[in-house]
Amino acid sequence: MVARSHSSAAGVLALLSEPDPVFKQHALKSLNSLVSRFWAEISEDIALIESLYDNDKLPKEARDSAALLASKVYYYLGEYDESLSFALGAGSAFEAESRVSGSEEYVETVMSKAIDRYIELHSVETDGKGDKVDPRLKHIIESIFQRCISEGEYKQAIGIALESHRLDVISSIYKQTQDISILCYAMDAVIDTGLSLSYRDTVLRFLYPLFPQLSVKNDSQHLHALTRLLVTLSDPSLATPLLVSLVPKENLLAYQLAFDLVEGGARDYLESIQTSLPDGDKDSKPIFDKLRSIFTGQESVKLYLEFLKKNNHVDPLILKHTKDALEPRSSIYHTALTLQNAFMHSGTTSDAFLRENLEWLGLASNWSKFTATAGLGVIHKGYFEQGMTILGPYLPQNGGESGVPGAAYSEGGALYALGLINAGCGTDVSGYLRDTLRSAQGEIVQHGAALGLGIAAMGSKNFETFEDLKNVLFMDSAVAGEAAGYAMGLIMLGTAADEPVHEMLSYARETQHEKIIRGLAIGIAFVFYGRQEQADKTIKSLLEETDPILRYGGVYTLALAYAGTSNNDAVRQLLHIAVSDVSDDVRRAAVTSLAFLLFKNPGQVPRIVQLLSESYNPHVRCGATLALGIACAGTGLQDAVEILEPMTKDSVDFVRQGALIALGMILLEQSEASSSSLASTRALYNKIVSDKHEDPTARFGAALAQGFIDAGGRNVTINLQSRAGSRNTNAIVGMVMFCQFWYWYPLAHCACLAFEPTGIIGLDGDLKVPKFEFTSNARPSLFAYPSATKPQKKETATKVATAVLSTTAKVKAREKKKAAADGDVNMDSDEKAEGKTEDVDMKDAPAKPSTPKSGRKEPSSETLQNFTRVTPAQLAYISFPSNGRYQPVRGVTAKSTTARAGKAPLSSKQHEEKYASGGGILILVDSRPEEESEFIEFETAAEFTAPAPEATTATGNGDAIGATASGPHIALDESAPEAGPPESFEYPFDGDN
């Protein structure tokens, strides 16, 4: 018998009014199966159904059915809160419904609503502000946890546990599985999502004791995660006991942890650890001394400096071509070449280009001279031991300014350069810069001293330095006040201190100088760096200001407060500002600032700015270019390149400039095999720089981009994430300052703060650099240096063939025929002569590679030496031979990836997450300590007395001679002679006497 289909639920609904409970129970069961079709009709009797649920006289089964029916009706009506309330009352009926086919969507919706309700109620209950959670809701959530754990869906359970503040669930899952990746996942989730700072710290402190003890034997893969946790908490009371527990049995791991903490830790945090380390006994004292030396940050800086000097692959012909193409007497072009040279040679200490082009250098005047002198700081970045020696000829003499006309620009630039050289080195140069700032009278020298002081003492939180800068600010000089505003923010970086912010904001509202307002606005943004919800009040206040420059500062405050969190509310707010603000500057800043929120997920950025890149407003388009460049720097992300390439032909000059610079950042450390756009982009830069009819703004952008794409001798990348996986503070600050080059070109030098050397630097237990080999399991061409530019051949004038009259040709032909008949001419020799002529012509054609060479297959892997460049993308393919003498104490990367031979270029999926931790300085376990070790020798220079600055002779290699000897570097062979600094020389600027 075929079941009759219903056309209406009216008959069944009528049974609900029957007095007999049996009829009502039957009707409720029937309606539960009909509700998906007749919910609209049933909803008219919802009051009756609810009354049945409340009727105590009905059996429990009938009441559960009534609750389930009411829940389903409210679900179809879109009232999910009411639906959940009745589902909780349905008890066993709801559990049975979850097993019924066709109810999956209803059950999933109610479950997700239950999770949301539980998260909301339990998190409030944990804070002691709300009512207790309904036990029935608890029961459902507990069943969800149990199901996730039984099915192995641990990540889902951890996600719910984190949001609902149920840390006990994470602990029980870890005890059950003993899987460290569970703890790492929980840690990453709480750091990378927009949870409050206080709750984030609570979770991290809860997770920290769960991590197992570090040991070389246990292959401490979680060292990356532990480092990131410690850097995020920045609590010396956690790091110091851990380091002490590793000495002396696991001293190699202690060294590795120290180097990794230095990579991501704030300056004051590292100094606190350094001072809190014990002296140790006879056995452990040398180890603790080395740890203290590492925590100064200077050892890492020295190693990276040697790495950049040793592997410098700058192509001088690119610089020569730019110099020949750009008019040196134009200030913008002179600055462009200065910045290009500084970026290309950043950290390499090679000033050969400057020495060889002193005549070009002498054409700099005024602020071009300031920028040119400051460029020395970029070139010698990290050479803190000889910073004063290198810049000696240009620094203010005897504590006062020089009276020579025009000298103030080189003196100010030298003070700025001194700050760049000492950035992140933990040196005491800030004392000298403070003294100079106090004694200086001219605004140009004050400008350079303030910028240098802010960068050298970044994050020092020193109130005395802050007061010195405030005194300069109150002089109300536009030039000096702007630099003081930036520097005040840098000194108080990430403190969220109320008093400094109040003083800065009050002065910004009072002053009439736009430059000062802008400096203070960005300074306030630095003060709230990483403070998330603590900055909300100030952000709201700044964004409501009528002055567009303060709103501009509000945008950067929002970006820096939530830097790296991908916070949805912050992204939404920036996108709203980008399309609604009346100021073009604010709109451009809002789009650019997206990069600072999303740099951990660069794959998202092209999708978000795609429409903005096609905006009618050129400032929004320009902001989109920089957002792509900063967030996707060094990834070679094809989606970003495809958006930027058409923008290099934009009708507006500054949009073209932004697109060119962004392409240079994205294609940093890419090879022609890994990025198909590299060759065409380099050719485009060459074409634009050479085109005298191109707009100066675009030519400036192309020159700057050439500096970025070959930055640091082609051995650095730009990464706003540190190797420890935390935010790279120096890089974020450097990129924010670089973005201000729109208003003030000298600030572009700050981009060098974001340059991160990419190599593997292996150290043994004595912190020396041994010779060893490791394998890159990828085709060599995939990560090779770009080939050197070939010099252009001079075109020789080709000889035009002589015209021959037809009558003359006929006469000659008759004579030749007659001579041949007489046997006077040897035809063979003629043929040979003709053949020889053809051979000479072939020499002008391009030489073809020989068949055997071109037919040879490229190897699928290559062997690399210690102290070699390894790009972030290449780290996934690095392996150490199992039978090798040296093995690293931790993995090369945080995510253990199986290296496969001969890989093709990386797909866009692999670029979704930015390469974070890995590479850098690796401490090695020596499996054969009884064998004699070979160490890498670094370039040394003969020591002799330095001549006076005016008698100094230039050297071609850029190495200085006769510098004051400094303390031996603990990572170098101490028996080798010490290298001297680059030789000092003075710029022959016009107008100097």
Side-chain angles (χ1 to χ4, degrees):
M1 184 176 175
V2 179
R4 193 163 50 116
S5 62
H6 292 269
S7 59
S8 170
V12 185
L13 283 169
L15 292 175
L16 293 177
S17 303
E18 290 291 327
D20 191 339
V22 176
F23 286 121
K24 291 178 180 176
Q25 195 167 346
H26 172 72
L28 289 168
K29 281 188 177 179
S30 301
L31 287 169
N32 266 316
S33 59
L34 296 173
V35 69
S36 59
R37 284 187 293 157
F38 303 113
W39 59 268
E41 189 178 352
I42 297 169
S43 67
E44 295 176 7
D45 290 315
I46 189 67
L48 177 58
I49 296 168
E50 287 183 24
S51 68
L52 292 173
Y53 166 61
D54 294 329
N55 191 342
D56 295 335
K57 295 178 182 177
L58 287 175
K60 186 176 186 308
E61 188 179 350
R63 292 175 61 199
D64 288 352
S65 295
L68 181 62
L69 179 60
S71 174
K72 285 186 175 181
V73 171
Y74 279 120
Y75 162 72
Y76 286 114
L77 288 170
E79 299 287 344
Y80 297 127
D81 287 326
E82 291 292 330
S83 178
L84 173 60
S85 298
F86 282 103
L88 292 175
S92 57
F94 180 75
E95 289 180 15
E97 186 68 22
S98 64
R99 295 187 288 273
V100 175
S101 176
S103 300
E104 294 85 357
E105 190 176 341
Y106 159 71
V107 172
E108 282 180 20
T109 304
V110 172
M111 283 290 201
S112 64
K113 193 67 188 173
I115 292 169
D116 291 344
R117 174 83 66 85
Y118 181 77
I119 288 169
E120 181 185 345
L121 293 174
H122 193 271
S123 56
V124 173
E125 182 190 5
T126 308
D127 297 337
K129 297 177 183 175
D131 300 326
K132 289 191 174 181
V133 180
D134 188 333
R136 298 173 302 176
L137 183 59
K138 275 186 178 177
H139 176 71
I140 286 183
I141 298 300
E142 290 297 340
S143 67
I144 290 173
F145 280 136
Q146 288 169 10
R147 193 174 71 192
C148 287
I149 293 169
S150 62
E151 293 176 1
E153 298 289 346
Y154 301 123
K155 290 183 178 180
Q156 288 185 13
I158 287 172
I160 299 169
L162 282 174
E163 291 204 54
S164 59
H165 295 210
R166 285 287 304 276
L167 302 184
D168 58 299
V169 175
I170 300 173
S171 178
S172 63
I173 291 174
Y174 176 67
K175 285 175 183 173
Q176 184 179 326
T177 60
Q178 292 297 311
D179 185 357
I180 299 174
S181 65
I182 296 290
L183 300 179
C184 295
Y185 175 79
M187 185 199 71
D188 290 341
V190 78
I191 292 175
D192 293 336
T193 51
L195 298 174
S196 68
L197 286 179
S198 57
Y199 179 56
R200 182 199 71 183
D201 291 353
T202 303
V203 176
L204 294 180
R205 288 179 187 279
F206 176 82
L207 293 174
Y208 177 67
L210 297 178
F211 280 98
Q213 180 67 28
L214 289 170
S215 170
V216 173
K217 293 177 183 176
N218 298 342
D219 189 23
S220 302
Q221 276 295 332
H222 63 287
L223 184 61
H224 284 290
L226 212 51
T227 305
R228 189 180 185 197
L229 187 150
L230 291 170
V231 167
T232 305
L233 285 174
S234 291
D235 185 354
S237 65
L238 293 178
T240 306
L242 176 60
L243 287 163
V244 171
S245 69
L246 294 172
V247 178
K249 292 183 180 177
E250 300 287 353
N251 58 315
L252 296 182
L253 274 173
Y255 295 148
Q256 184 66 68
L257 181 62
F259 275 117
D260 289 349
L261 287 173
V262 167
E263 293 280 356
R267 184 79 263 134
D268 58 332
Y269 171 56
L270 300 176
E271 287 173 359
S272 300
I273 298 175
Q274 185 185 354
T275 53
S276 61
L277 286 172
D279 291 334
D281 54 24
K282 186 175 68 173
D283 295 331
S284 60
K285 188 176 187 306
I287 298 171
F288 282 120
D289 287 344
K290 284 179 180 175
L291 285 172
R292 270 188 285 272
S293 180
I294 293 168
F295 276 113
T296 62
Q298 296 177 7
E299 300 309 322
S300 300
V301 172
K302 288 178 187 175
L303 286 165
Y304 287 130
L305 185 73
E306 288 294 343
F307 167 77
L308 292 175
K309 284 165 68 175
K310 186 173 185 292
N311 294 286
N312 185 5
H313 278 72
V314 166
D315 189 342
L317 285 177
I318 295 175
L319 278 168
K320 184 178 182 303
H321 173 262
T322 307
K323 174 184 163 290
D324 293 342
L326 299 180
E327 169 54 49
R329 290 195 176 276
S330 167
S331 174
I332 185 173
Y333 292 148
H334 199 287
T335 301
L337 184 54
T338 296
L339 291 169
Q340 181 182 337
N341 173 54
F343 290 165
M344 278 186 167
H345 289 99
S346 174
T348 63
T349 72
S350 170
D351 49 22
F353 176 79
L354 300 177
R355 295 177 184 279
E356 291 164 7
N357 295 280
L358 293 174
E359 186 181 345
W360 164 82
L361 205 52
L363 297 174
S365 61
N366 299 333
W367 288 106
S368 295
K369 189 190 296 187
F370 179 95
T371 309
T373 315
L376 277 177
V378 181
I379 292 170
H380 297 286
K381 179 174 172 282
Y383 205 1
F384 58 89
E385 291 178 309
Q386 301 296 341
M388 296 291 286
T389 307
I390 294 162
L391 296 170
Y394 321 109
L395 291 168
Q397 302 299 318
N398 304 319
E401 295 169 59
S402 167
V404 178
Y409 292 100
S410 54
E411 288 175 355
L415 292 166
Y416 180 20
L418 194 61
L420 292 169
I421 286 176
N422 290 274
C425 297
T427 54
D428 55 0
V429 76
S430 53
Y432 168 78
L433 288 167
R434 278 180 61 193
D435 292 340
T436 309
L437 181 69
R438 283 196 293 260
S439 62
Q441 299 300 315
E443 61 178 10
I444 300 162
V445 176
Q446 287 176 337
H447 181 86
L451 285 177
L453 181 57
I455 292 166
M458 187 194 304
S460 64
K461 305 177 178 59
N462 188 313
F463 278 94
E464 292 178 6
T465 307
F466 184 84
E467 287 298 319
D468 288 341
L469 290 163
K470 192 168 70 174
N471 293 335
V472 173
L473 177 72
F474 287 165
M475 292 177 184
D476 208 41
S477 158
V479 174
E482 180 187 28
Y486 291 127
M488 288 161 77
L490 290 171
I491 297 297
M492 307 305 290
L493 185 70
T495 59
D498 291 334
E499 187 63 26
V501 170
H502 176 70
E503 290 180 341
M504 293 165 77
L505 197 51
S506 299
Y507 195 81
R509 287 169 176 151
E510 291 170 10
T511 186
Q512 300 300 308
H513 296 294
E514 287 190 359
K515 289 170 79 70
I516 294 179
I517 300 172
R518 186 174 298 108
L520 288 168
I522 299 298
I524 291 169
F526 287 141
V527 175
F528 285 104
Y529 168 71
R531 304 309 296 187
Q532 296 188 22
E533 69 274 3
Q534 294 175 20
D536 287 347
K537 185 180 174 183
T538 306
I539 292 167
K540 187 172 183 292
S541 167
L542 287 169
L543 292 177
E544 290 172 351
E545 291 280 350
T546 53
D547 187 339
I549 304 176
L550 287 175
R551 294 203 304 278
Y552 177 90
V555 166
Y556 274 106
T557 307
L558 176 62
L560 289 178
Y562 290 93
T565 62
S566 304
N567 184 282
N568 286 332
D569 291 334
V571 171
R572 199 176 297 114
Q573 199 170 355
L574 287 177
L575 289 171
H576 174 70
I577 294 167
V579 295
S580 64
D581 200 278
V582 293
S583 165
D584 285 334
D585 284 353
V586 177
R587 295 176 72 171
R588 186 183 67 251
V591 184
T592 303
S593 295
L594 289 168
F596 298 107
L597 290 173
L598 300 168
F599 62 79
K600 289 183 181 176
N601 304 292
Q604 292 181 8
V605 181
R607 292 194 290 270
I608 290 173
V609 304
Q610 171 81 56
L611 289 174
L612 294 171
S613 69
E614 298 166 8
S615 168
Y616 72 91
N617 187 320
H619 289 266
V620 173
R621 298 201 299 275
C622 179
T625 63
L626 286 177
L628 287 167
I630 294 168
C632 306
T635 62
L637 193 64
Q638 196 57 35
D639 291 346
V641 172
E642 286 170 4
I643 293 173
L644 289 167
E645 282 181 336
M647 298 178 81
T648 60
K649 302 179 183 69
D650 197 278
S651 58
V652 180
D653 54 357
F654 59 79
V655 178
R656 295 200 298 277
Q657 180 193 66
L660 293 166
I661 291 172
L663 277 172
M665 291 180 179
I666 292 170
L667 296 175
L668 197 58
E669 288 201 321
Q670 299 298 309
S671 67
E672 291 183 19
S674 65
S675 175
S676 55
S677 306
L678 184 69
S680 59
T681 304
R682 285 183 178 277
L684 178 66
Y685 292 155
N686 201 19
K687 175 178 171 291
I688 291 174
V689 167
S690 306
D691 186 358
K692 287 183 167 42
H693 303 291
E694 181 61 81
D695 192 275
T697 308
R699 294 178 81 188
F700 179 91
L704 215 59
Q706 284 181 318
F708 273 122
I709 206 168
D710 288 336
R714 296 177 171 172
N715 294 299
V716 300
T717 189
I718 295 173
N719 197 345
L720 304 192
Q721 202 171 351
S722 74
R723 289 190 182 88
S726 56
R727 291 186 301 261
N728 185 344
T729 302
N730 275 8
I732 293 170
V733 168
M735 278 293 120
V736 170
M737 292 291 279
F738 169 75
C739 290
Q740 312 315 310
F741 86 92
W742 178 276
Y743 308 100
W744 194 235
Y745 283 148
L747 295 177
H749 280 311
C750 290
C752 72
L753 298 175
F755 293 164
E756 185 179 80
T758 55
I760 285 186
I761 299 172
L763 305 180
D764 65 7
D766 296 324
L767 302 188
K768 293 184 178 180
V769 186
K771 289 184 178 179
F772 69 90
E773 296 179 342
F774 55 93
T775 307
S776 171
N777 297 288
R779 292 181 288 116
S781 63
L782 202 56
F783 303 110
Y785 286 104
S787 52
T789 308
K790 293 178 181 175
Q792 293 180 339
K793 292 182 180 178
K794 292 183 180 178
E795 294 181 7
T796 53
T798 52
K799 195 173 181 181
V800 181
T802 308
V804 181
L805 295 173
S806 58
T807 52
T808 310
K810 287 176 183 177
V811 171
K812 284 188 176 180
R814 281 199 300 272
E815 288 177 354
K816 192 173 182 181
K817 193 174 181 182
K818 183 180 177 184
D822 296 341
D824 290 341
V825 178
N826 187 342
M827 293 299 288
D828 290 344
S829 63
D830 278 346
E831 287 173 10
K832 284 180 185 176
E834 286 173 17
K836 188 175 179 181
T837 307
E838 287 176 9
D839 285 346
V840 171
D841 291 342
M842 285 296 289
K843 285 180 184 176
D844 292 333
K848 294 180 181 178
S850 59
T851 310
K853 192 173 180 181
S854 60
R856 209 173 83 192
K857 190 178 178 183
E858 186 181 8
S860 60
S861 65
E862 63 177 325
T863 302
L864 301 174
Q865 305 289 331
N866 189 14
F867 243 67
T868 304
R869 181 185 90 156
V870 177
T871 68
Q874 192 177 2
L875 287 170
Y877 305 100
I878 296 300
S879 63
F880 283 71
S882 55
N883 59 348
R885 178 176 174 179
Y886 293 101
Q887 298 292 333
V889 296
R890 66 154 166 82
V892 177
T893 58
K895 295 171 185 174
S896 53
T897 309
T898 307
R900 285 168 288 178
K903 282 283 288 183
L906 297 170
S907 66
S908 60
K909 276 283 180 190
Q910 286 168 286
H911 284 302
E912 285 292 311
E913 288 187 20
K914 191 123 181 187
Y915 305 104
S917 40
I921 298 169
L922 294 175
I923 303 297
L924 306 166
V925 179
D926 188 352
S927 59
R928 298 193 288 274
E930 68 282 355
E931 296 181 14
E932 192 175 345
S933 301
E934 271 191 273
F935 298 103
I936 293 177
E937 293 182 8
F938 298 108
E939 294 177 16
T940 56
E943 291 189 33
F944 57 89
T945 307
E950 60 270 14
T952 303
T953 53
T955 55
N957 62 2
D959 290 333
I961 298 171
T964 309
S966 58
H969 182 351
I970 63 170
L972 309 182
D973 184 358
E974 294 182 4
S975 61
E978 205 39 49
E983 183 182 356
S984 58
F985 66 98
E986 288 203 59
Y987 294 169
F989 291 125
D990 287 348
D992 287 1
N993 296 322

